[in-house]
Amino acid sequence: MSGEFEFIERLTELLAAPPFGQVWIGDDAAVLDGGQLFATDVLVEGVHFDRSFCDMADVGWKALAVNASDIAAMGGTPLAAVAALVIPSDAGLADAVARGLAHAAEAFRCPLVGGDTTAGPALMISAAILGSSPESGAVLRSGARPGDSIYVTGTIGTAGRALADLLAGRDPDPEALLRLNRPTPRLAEGRAAAAAAATAMIDVSDGLVADLRHICEASGVGATILEGAVPVMGSAFGESTSVGGDDYELCFTAPDPEAVDASFDQAGLAAPARIGLITARADLILRFSDGRDRPLQGTGWEHDIG
Ligand code: ADP
Ligand code: MG
């Protein structure tokens, strides 16, 4: 076994299947009885963040943000979170982490109602979150159908660009750095997509192509992305921007473009970019403005777990 996804597949085989009407492993959040949403995510020093590139309050914020983003990806609303912290005892980090967590809990209207705290060799924050489904039901990864339009909120590759700059010793664009360290879960956008009868949705945590591929695999469909239609910060869409993760924008599919525009407009939100179409043939294609097609290879970020 080597990859994160192979492990998850093996684990799924060993576990019981969910009762009818529930969704367990395989989506951004589990959907439990009555539509309650349940998800968790972990941030580990040296893997997800580096002390020299961000403030520890950023890490507290991001721990809740990435969890709320998984609720957003179901079209849901956060109800409450718990956070388990491992904090190195020598470094005086605790105060900043607490401030970041509290700030995020208030910003996302997601009370932090419990957790666990222990000393350890590296900073780690693991949060779990409960949420409620939208009235129309949680938007899964598995409902995309040929002919649906594909949408993405915000810009893609922004956080990845800030990280690339930091790693290369360059000063990142301040706005891009904010996107990397203080991502905003697109909760209102997720609800607007659900209200517009979105058929599938995911948050862009591993990279647009990788995450769209998760939708396509779960739905048994393919996709054609129009190269010029993808909103990318400062450069053209390509293999490098497509694999950069950590944007925490939403990618969703929906059958009726007018309904999508009306729903986002009604919620006072910027219209999402329509970047392509779901197809029946099961592969991902990038289409250039001159009509040339190229298969999209981007597999995105996957943890090697040995
Ligand atoms: P996301 O990026 O949305 O957080 P992941 O790619 O991390 O999702 O995980 C894919 C799916 O596998 C999710 O449904 C997640 O809940 C599930 N999963 C990941 N790790 C585990 C685990 N250790 N135990 C059970 N389910 C897991
Ligand atoms: Mg997710």
Side-chain angles (χ1 to χ4, degrees), residues 57 60-61 64 95-108 110-112:
W61 168 283
L64 265 198
D95 206 58
V97 171
R99 272 189 284 111
L101 280 169
H103 188 184
E106 196 185 324
F108 314 147
C110 177
L112 188 62

Side-chain angles (χ1 to χ4, degrees), residues 52-53 160-173 177:
S52 52
F53 295 159
R161 168 169 284 242
L163 183 60
D165 283 342
L166 288 169
L167 292 172
R170 294 186 296 263
D171 275 342
D173 174 89
L177 186 62

Side-chain angles (χ1 to χ4, degrees), residues 261-289:
D261 286 347
S263 179
F264 275 69
D265 187 52
Q266 200 177 355
L269 299 166
R274 191 172 166 209
I275 61 167
L277 283 178
I278 293 293
T279 57
R281 45 177 287 188
D283 51 5
L284 268 72
I285 300 283
L286 185 62
R287 177 160 296 163
F288 294 87
S289 51

Side-chain angles (χ1 to χ4, degrees), residues 65-293:
V66 297
N67 274 278
S69 180
D70 278 328
I71 298 297
M74 310 302 287
T77 300
L79 289 174
V82 292
L85 315 182
V86 179
I87 305 184
S89 47
D90 56 330
L93 308 174
D95 206 58
V97 171
R99 272 189 284 111
L101 280 169
H103 188 184
E106 196 185 324
F108 314 147
R109 296 189 193 170
C110 177
L112 188 62
V113 299
D116 193 25
T117 307
T118 173
L123 182 62
M124 191 204 80
I125 308 186
S126 167
I129 191 164
L130 280 176
S132 58
S133 286
E135 243 167 64
S136 47
V139 184
L140 307 181
R141 293 179 180 180
S142 55
R145 294 291 168 262
D148 284 353
S149 294
I150 305 166
Y151 291 89
V152 71
T153 63
T155 55
I156 290 302
T158 312
R161 168 169 284 242
L163 183 60
D165 283 342
L166 288 169
L167 292 172
R170 294 186 296 263
D171 275 342
D173 174 89
E175 193 195 323
L177 186 62
L178 207 58
R179 290 284 298 284
L180 176 67
N181 288 339
R182 294 248 167 183
T184 304
R186 301 302 186 194
L187 290 159
E189 287 82 352
R191 287 189 290 260
T199 47
M201 186 148 59
I202 193 167
D203 65 333
V204 181
S205 57
D206 294 337
L208 176 63
V209 174
D211 287 315
L212 179 58
R213 197 182 300 281
H214 289 317
I215 285 185
C216 288
E217 281 170 0
S219 302
V221 296
T224 297
I225 297 183
L226 306 173
E227 188 263 341
V230 181
V232 181
M233 186 202 180
S235 68
F237 180 69
E239 218 62 51
S240 62
T241 43
S242 69
V243 300
D246 256 6
D247 286 311
Y248 297 100
E249 295 294 345
L250 297 176
C251 174
F252 66 92
T253 59
D256 181 356
E258 279 178 24
V260 170
D261 286 347
S263 179
F264 275 69
D265 187 52
Q266 200 177 355
L269 299 166
R274 191 172 166 209
I275 61 167
L277 283 178
I278 293 293
T279 57
R281 45 177 287 188
D283 51 5
L284 268 72
I285 300 283
L286 185 62
R287 177 160 296 163
F288 294 87
S289 51
D290 62 4
R292 263 182 319 126
D293 281 352

Side-chain angles (χ1 to χ4, degrees), residues 1-51:
M1 199 177 300
S2 61
E4 170 193 350
F5 294 117
E6 202 179 330
F7 168 77
I8 296 168
E9 225 169 84
R10 179 75 187 118
L11 183 62
T12 310
E13 286 165 10
L14 294 171
L15 297 171
F20 182 77
Q22 297 192 25
V23 178
W24 290 357
I25 294 176
D27 223 296
D28 293 280
V31 186
L32 304 181
D33 203 21
Q36 186 148 70
L37 305 174
F38 192 21
T40 186
D41 254 313
V42 61
L43 298 184
V44 180
E45 182 175 357
V47 179
H48 298 100
F49 63 91
D50 189 311
R51 280 190 216 184

